[in-house]
Amino acid sequence: MTHTPRKRFGQNFLHDHNIINNILSSLQAKPSEHWVEIGPGMGALTKPLLDQGLNLEVVELDRDLVTYLKDKFKDQPHLQIHSADALRFDFSALAKDNEKLRVIGNLPYNISTPLMFHLLNNSYCIEDMHFMLQKEVVDRICAAPGSKKYGRLSVMMQYFCATELLFDVPPESFDPAPKVMSAIVRLVPHEQPPVQINSLKMLNRVVVSAFSQRRKTLRNALKKIIDEESIIALGIDPTLRAEVISLADYAKLSNLLKEDDLNLAEDLDDLL
Ligand code: SAH
């Protein structure tokens, strides 16, 4: 079958075998594991994953590709193909008996941030996630305080996971080639949250306010929600800017606000 890549589904198919091998060797997959691949496309990663003898579930939105995959892998007993939108898919239903899933995806870039947070909503059943994303986004996810790339996405992702950029992937590794550089990120959900917060909504609120005007001091950026004395009382210098404040300090600041409901998907809407 020939398949014309569909832009609206963010289809950029991997065809560089060195990159595919590098991804596979950084995964260290074991036959006993339960894997989920998001957006398998034409199976560039699916095939080598299955060759490792693991149990694999794939979630693909494009029905033509689902038909293609069903035919291509019809003799594979360890593969389940789900014709579904990953953004609405209940990943926790795949994890049986307290097992943890390992997730991989060369994600459509337009849905990558909402999809990551959708998965993190169920992070208790996820061992780790490896994603191909725009390098720009990976840099922001992994950035430390003080870096120019450090922002809302860094703070919120690092609250949920340990983050690591594994390697860059140039445009010509894909067909069609995207305009930008890509990179592989490893996300390992924390077993225990790294900081204590009363509410995710409040953490998000503080971070959104702090970074809304990057060049303002914390005192000015947070003026409407936290007064200067309260910032000082936490031992945080109110004349600093948002980009040098650690997750631990954002957690303390957020705990000054009143408690609220916890609904990650809704809270993070404006991160996207
Ligand atoms: N993994 C393949 C394909 C990557 S292209 C490879 O590396 O070659 C991205 C894939 O995600 C495409 O197959 C596209 O159809 C699929 N996709 C796009 N949006 C999706 C969604 N919301 N849910 C599931 N799959 C999606």
Side-chain angles (χ1 to χ4, degrees), residues 117 121 152 156 159-160 197-208 259-272:
F117 284 109
N121 241 336
R152 290 154 61 191
M156 297 312 287
Y159 172 72
F160 289 102
I197 54 168
N198 293 341
S199 140
L200 203 48
K201 197 164 190 160
M202 292 310 170
L203 177 64
N204 189 45
R205 181 150 310 162
V206 165
V207 173
V208 167
E259 264 208 57
D260 220 319
D261 308 343
L262 197 145
N263 181 333
L264 183 55
E266 204 178 280
D267 295 352
L268 294 169
D269 257 4
D270 52 10
L271 247 187
L272 317 179

Side-chain angles (χ1 to χ4, degrees), residues 9 11-14 39-41 59-61 65 85-86 106 108 111:
F9 290 149
Q11 292 177 351
N12 297 94
F13 299 113
L14 256 178
V59 182
E60 174 57 60
L61 180 62
L65 287 177
D85 180 350
N106 167 14
I111 64 159

Side-chain angles (χ1 to χ4, degrees), residues 18 21 39 46 87 106-107 167 180 185 217 238 242 244 250 254 257 268:
N18 286 329
N21 288 338
T46 318
L87 281 172
N106 167 14
L107 298 188
F167 53 88
V180 295
V185 67
T217 61
V244 303
Y250 280 121
S254 77
L257 303 180
L268 294 169

Side-chain angles (χ1 to χ4, degrees), residues 3 6-15 20 23 37-46 58-63 65-66 69 82-89 91 104-111 115 132 173-175:
H3 176 83
R6 293 191 166 114
K7 224 178 164 162
R8 78 191 141 100
F9 290 149
Q11 292 177 351
N12 297 94
F13 299 113
L14 256 178
H15 69 98
I20 293 171
I23 296 175
E37 186 189 2
I38 299 170
M42 301 190 73
L45 295 167
T46 318
V58 300
V59 182
E60 174 57 60
L61 180 62
D62 185 334
R63 294 212 181 120
L65 287 177
V66 169
L69 292 164
H82 303 270
S83 178
D85 180 350
L87 281 172
R88 293 191 178 78
F89 192 80
F91 290 93
I104 179 160
N106 167 14
L107 298 188
Y109 294 161
N110 56 336
I111 64 159
L115 186 56
M132 174 91 74
S173 310
F174 302 88
D175 180 26

